[in-house]
Amino acid sequence: MPRRKRNAGSSSDGTEDSDFSTDLEHTDSSESDGTSRRSARITRSSARLSQSSQETKNTADHDESPPRTPTGNAPSSESDIDVSSPNASHDESVAKDMSLKDSGSDLSHRPKRRRFHESYNFNMKCPTPGCNSLGHLTGKHERHFSISGCPLYHNLSADECKAPTERQLRYKEKVAELRKKRNSGLSKEQKEKYMEHRQTYGNTREPLLENLTSEYDLDLFRRAQARASEDLEKLRLQGQITEGSNMIKTIAFGRYELDTWYHSPYPEEYARLGRLYMCEFCLKYMKSQTILRRHMAKCVWKHPPGDEIYRKGSISVFEVDGKKNKIYCQNLCLLAKLFLDHKTLYYDVEPFLFYVMTEADNTGCHLIGYFSKEKNSFLNYNVSCILTMPQYMRQGYGKMLIDFSYLLSKVEEKVGSPERPLSDLGLISYRSYWKEVLLRYLHNFQGKEISIKEISQETAVNPVDIVSTLQALQMLKYWKGKHLVLKRQDLIDEWIAKEAKRSNSNKTMDPSCLKWTPPKGT
């Protein structure tokens, strides 16, 4: 019995698809004439047949032969495939599969084909740790799956690798054209107008900016000014800042970014910026990173001005006269006020000497700390102000500065003491230093009677400071009308143990490395 023909366009409920109405009429007429033309096309209906599992199952129940065209014949070549349909690419792949199989192959048991790029996108990942496979080094693709195309591996981001769009290129060309239209210079009348404006208003008004740059750049500058003023007003309304208050929160100092602790009286135009950029050699302060970079390109300073009076290894100490190097010493005082609460000296630096400690490397001598000292002190103060930079704190440099100040007092054959009041950190450092000095003296002392005066003369520490330290250590007792110094061996043993651990440290001052004579008039 001949097999009943089934139209490929028929649905599962037996009704024919409306798309095939005209094709079926044409097919019937062509078969009656006896021709074997294969001009029919695979349409959406055949694509649905290969995609829908329900329709495939129904088809297998009725007929297990390969799907037919409306003429009843299987497509024999690619020319029989309609590439004009919306699913032409999928139809083409289905048609090729059918042409490679025998006419009796069963499509119901064939697994569905998966598009290669779909499985590639979802199953493969970039092997770079932390990468999400987004972006591509060329900027032309949305994803990547190899290290060679990974922006993260090349220390870039996906946005940085994106190629500029046509809109961005057109905008860039437009900006270049606008900048070309700028006048090359100012006329004589314009210069006179600008000078008259400057003489009339001084620094109370912004200088005239017209014709100094292109209209486009001037407009960008006005927008930036407006946005900055808006942010500033918000902070003032929130009460975070007040008019005239110090806004310096951080400073860029060499390779460090330091958070400030206290207010420092920098000029208003610098204090309101919130961030200052400083040259770590000449201590000049600037407004932006660009200005600092230009300054560093031509700055010839690699160490503080003045005489180098001490050097041991990479550690050096320079003596700077406040009268001879006034600008440097003023900048040093302004910098110190950012980290000291009790400092009051900023600009009157001529009566002082500044001893600046640095650490040298192949780029120059980097500031560690300093202490200032009056040239003529009636109370024999050997330190007026002392500071260790925050990046060098808790490393032993503070005690080195204190020890150096007493070393100078020994050369001068004087007894010294720091100027009061001391800051909290300064008091802690001095108490620790005086404790070590006394314990070292008691450890080396071989006599029976100890005199406060003898300790003071040998260590250059003021007797008042010695007594206060002995009382804090509970080594001073009053018995039968006399003050007795108790030699507490437990404290001495504890100090010896700490010294043994620090025996390899270079954080000690060597008197033999000092090359200094007291200045005249002191």
Side-chain angles (χ1 to χ4, degrees):
M1 177 178 249
R3 178 178 296 179
R4 182 175 60 86
K5 292 184 180 181
R6 182 178 179 275
N7 296 328
S10 61
S11 60
S12 60
D13 58 356
T15 61
E16 293 182 353
D17 197 319
S18 60
D19 295 341
F20 285 88
S21 59
T22 57
D23 292 340
L24 288 175
E25 293 176 0
H26 178 73
T27 303
D28 293 339
S29 62
S30 62
E31 286 181 348
S32 62
D33 296 336
T35 61
S36 59
R37 294 170 59 191
R38 299 177 181 178
S39 61
R41 302 288 188 267
I42 295 177
T43 61
R44 291 193 185 95
S45 177
S46 61
R48 295 194 197 100
L49 183 64
S50 62
Q51 294 179 354
S52 174
S53 59
Q54 182 65 31
E55 290 181 3
T56 305
K57 182 177 180 181
N58 294 337
T59 304
D61 293 339
H62 292 284
D63 191 2
E64 295 183 355
S65 61
R68 303 274 179 174
T69 64
T71 60
N73 301 323
S76 60
S77 65
E78 293 182 10
S79 62
D80 296 332
I81 300 175
D82 186 5
V83 296
S84 63
S85 68
N87 297 328
S89 61
H90 182 71
D91 297 343
E92 183 178 357
S93 62
V94 174
K96 287 184 179 180
D97 289 341
M98 290 189 297
S99 64
L100 293 176
K101 299 294 182 180
D102 295 333
S103 60
S105 62
D106 189 359
L107 292 177
S108 62
H109 299 289
R110 184 191 304 172
K112 286 187 177 182
R113 286 171 56 89
R114 189 178 225 176
R115 294 183 182 181
F116 172 74
H117 65 86
E118 291 181 355
S119 62
Y120 185 68
N121 286 349
F122 290 103
N123 294 337
M124 297 187 67
K125 294 182 179 179
C126 176
T128 304
C131 182
N132 55 6
S133 297
L134 296 178
H136 197 278
L137 186 62
T138 61
K140 300 179 181 179
H141 309 287
E142 295 182 357
R143 300 177 66 86
H144 66 276
F145 307 99
S146 63
I147 292 180
S148 60
C150 177
L152 184 61
Y153 174 78
H154 296 281
N155 301 317
L156 298 171
S157 63
D159 294 335
E160 291 176 340
C161 293
K162 286 184 179 179
T165 61
E166 294 184 2
R167 182 179 178 183
Q168 292 173 333
L169 293 175
R170 289 196 302 268
Y171 183 75
K172 185 177 180 180
E173 294 175 358
K174 180 181 178 181
V175 171
E177 290 295 329
L178 291 174
R179 287 174 174 169
K180 288 180 181 179
K181 296 179 181 179
R182 184 179 72 88
N183 295 329
S184 59
L186 298 175
S187 62
K188 183 178 180 181
E189 293 77 8
Q190 289 174 335
K191 291 182 179 179
E192 292 177 354
K193 180 181 177 181
Y194 287 12
M195 292 300 297
E196 182 180 357
H197 181 275
R198 185 64 178 270
Q199 292 174 0
T200 304
Y201 299 104
N203 294 328
T204 60
R205 294 282 188 90
E206 182 184 71
L208 298 179
L209 303 177
E210 287 73 14
N211 297 325
L212 291 179
T213 184
S214 67
E215 301 252 346
Y216 170 78
D217 293 320
L218 183 59
D219 183 57
L220 283 182
F221 177 69
R222 295 299 187 196
R223 292 182 194 177
Q225 280 184 319
R227 182 176 296 181
S229 64
E230 185 178 7
D231 295 340
L232 187 61
E233 291 298 332
K234 288 181 180 179
L235 293 176
R236 284 176 178 165
L237 291 175
Q238 295 172 1
Q240 297 183 15
I241 60 173
T242 58
E243 188 70 30
S245 64
N246 182 52
M247 297 171 55
I248 300 176
K249 303 301 180 183
T250 59
I251 60 171
F253 192 81
R255 62 178 182 271
Y256 299 100
E257 181 177 336
L258 306 176
D259 294 331
T260 60
W261 300 350
Y262 304 103
H263 167 76
S264 183
Y266 280 96
E268 179 64 24
E269 57 180 318
Y270 292 90
R272 65 188 179 189
L273 294 176
R275 180 186 178 92
L276 283 184
Y277 299 84
M278 296 188 183
C279 174
E280 61 177 329
F281 300 117
C282 69
L283 304 185
K284 179 180 174 61
Y285 47 89
M286 287 150 276
K287 295 182 179 181
S288 67
Q289 181 71 34
T290 303
I291 300 176
L292 176 63
R293 185 168 58 251
R294 293 175 179 173
H295 169 82
M296 296 302 296
K298 58 185 179 181
C299 183
V300 297
W301 290 36
K302 294 302 178 183
H303 60 78
D307 302 325
E308 184 180 17
I309 61 175
Y310 178 92
R311 180 190 291 182
K312 182 179 181 182
S314 60
I315 302 298
S316 299
V317 178
F318 293 83
E319 183 183 60
V320 185
D321 192 337
K323 185 176 182 180
K324 296 179 181 179
N325 301 279
K326 186 174 181 179
I327 300 300
Y328 177 86
C329 295
Q330 288 178 348
N331 291 339
L332 183 60
C333 291
L334 290 173
L335 173 62
K337 184 61 183 71
L338 293 172
F339 308 102
L340 295 177
D341 188 22
H342 296 280
K343 183 171 180 56
T344 57
L345 172 68
Y346 315 117
Y347 300 107
D348 186 18
V349 296
E350 296 182 4
F352 293 87
L353 292 171
F354 294 81
Y355 296 91
V356 185
M357 180 177 289
T358 62
E359 183 178 24
D361 59 12
N362 56 354
T363 61
C365 297
H366 305 280
L367 177 65
I368 294 177
Y370 86 99
F371 69 87
S372 59
K373 177 182 178 181
E374 283 188 271
K375 297 178 181 178
N376 296 285
S377 176
F378 297 101
L379 298 176
N380 289 331
Y381 289 142
N382 61 357
V383 167
S384 178
C385 177
I386 186 169
L387 168 74
T388 303
M389 294 297 291
Q391 67 269 29
Y392 291 101
M393 287 184 177
R394 303 184 64 84
Q395 300 180 34
Y397 291 107
K399 290 183 180 179
M400 291 180 67
L401 285 170
I402 296 173
D403 193 19
F404 188 77
S405 66
Y406 281 104
L407 180 59
L408 298 183
S409 297
K410 292 178 183 179
V411 176
E412 292 177 320
E413 298 181 354
K414 294 181 180 180
V415 174
S417 179
E419 184 177 339
R420 268 63 172 188
L422 289 170
S423 63
D424 296 336
L425 293 177
L427 181 60
I428 293 174
S429 300
Y430 268 97
R431 283 275 176 86
S432 177
Y433 174 78
W434 292 331
K435 175 183 174 181
E436 290 187 6
V437 168
L438 290 176
L439 293 178
R440 182 183 297 108
Y441 182 87
L442 293 176
H443 175 65
N444 298 326
F445 184 72
Q446 302 296 331
K448 294 182 179 180
E449 294 184 0
I450 297 178
S451 172
I452 301 296
K453 185 177 180 181
E454 292 178 358
I455 299 177
S456 176
Q457 291 176 350
E458 186 169 341
T459 60
V461 179
N462 192 290
V464 177
D465 299 329
I466 295 176
V467 172
S468 64
T469 305
L470 290 174
Q471 290 175 343
L473 297 175
Q474 298 181 357
M475 298 177 66
L476 189 63
K477 297 294 182 181
Y478 184 78
W479 186 69
K480 291 184 179 181
K482 294 183 179 181
H483 290 280
L484 302 179
V485 177
L486 303 180
K487 186 177 180 180
R488 292 184 56 181
Q489 193 63 35
D490 56 338
L491 293 178
I492 296 176
D493 294 339
E494 182 181 353
W495 169 78
I496 293 174
K498 289 183 179 180
E499 285 293 313
K501 293 181 181 179
R502 294 184 300 187
S503 59
N504 296 329
S505 175
N506 295 325
K507 306 297 175 56
T508 57
M509 302 303 294
D510 188 355
S512 62
C513 296
L514 177 64
K515 308 297 181 184
W516 178 75
T517 55
K520 295 181 180 180
T522 60

